[in-house]
Amino acid sequence: PVINTMGLLKTSLVMRRLYDHLRARHPEALAALDVEGFADWEAYYGSGSHLLKYANLPGTDLIGLDFAWSDPAIAREGLRVVLDAFRQSSLELNRGEQRERGRYLAAQVADIRARLLAVRGKISRYKAEHGLVNPKEETANLARAQIDLNTDMAIVGAEASGKRSQVGGYRS
């Protein structure tokens, strides 16, 4: 992963961010290089190997990074720009991977749900064909039926009470 991550330093985002920063803050430095526009910058920057040096530090997940420029202040700013562009590229890469992983997992959940429903359907058909009864399931069904019956009885009782009061009103 570190080698793949170092590849982000070769992206056009790094080149673009450096150009934008130098154009905004140090146009004189670009003029000294005869860079008048982005096309000139692309030609000057090339692969970036003359400005950026980076390597994986042996035995670690750390990346050593050097940014070379004749003016130390510009070199320090340029290194910050490179690091920010690297972080942004890495973040976008990670977000893309997370989105793909999420899509994959959502598809897996849908597949598992469909398989589970198919298995439950087979179990139900088997029970129906062979007249099998699950005591726990039947107990739960009876409990639900009792609750439904009690609820219906309470509703009928309330309606009867309302009708009694209405009949009492007619009598008086």
Side-chain angles (χ1 to χ4, degrees), residues 1-10 54-56 61 63 86:
V2 173
I3 302 298
N4 294 343
T5 304
M6 287 188 333
L8 295 174
L9 292 166
K10 296 178 184 177
Y54 49 88
N56 174 241
D61 285 345
I63 299 171
F86 175 76

Side-chain angles (χ1 to χ4, degrees), residues 23 59 69 110 140:
R23 190 182 71 204
W69 199 270

Side-chain angles (χ1 to χ4, degrees), residues 37-72:
F38 188 70
D40 293 336
W41 174 251
E42 281 181 307
Y44 172 76
Y45 188 84
S47 68
S49 61
H50 61 288
L51 296 176
L52 288 173
K53 307 272 189 260
Y54 49 88
N56 174 241
L57 300 177
T60 69
D61 285 345
L62 301 176
I63 299 171
L65 179 63
D66 292 319
F67 180 73
W69 199 270
S70 58
D71 183 342

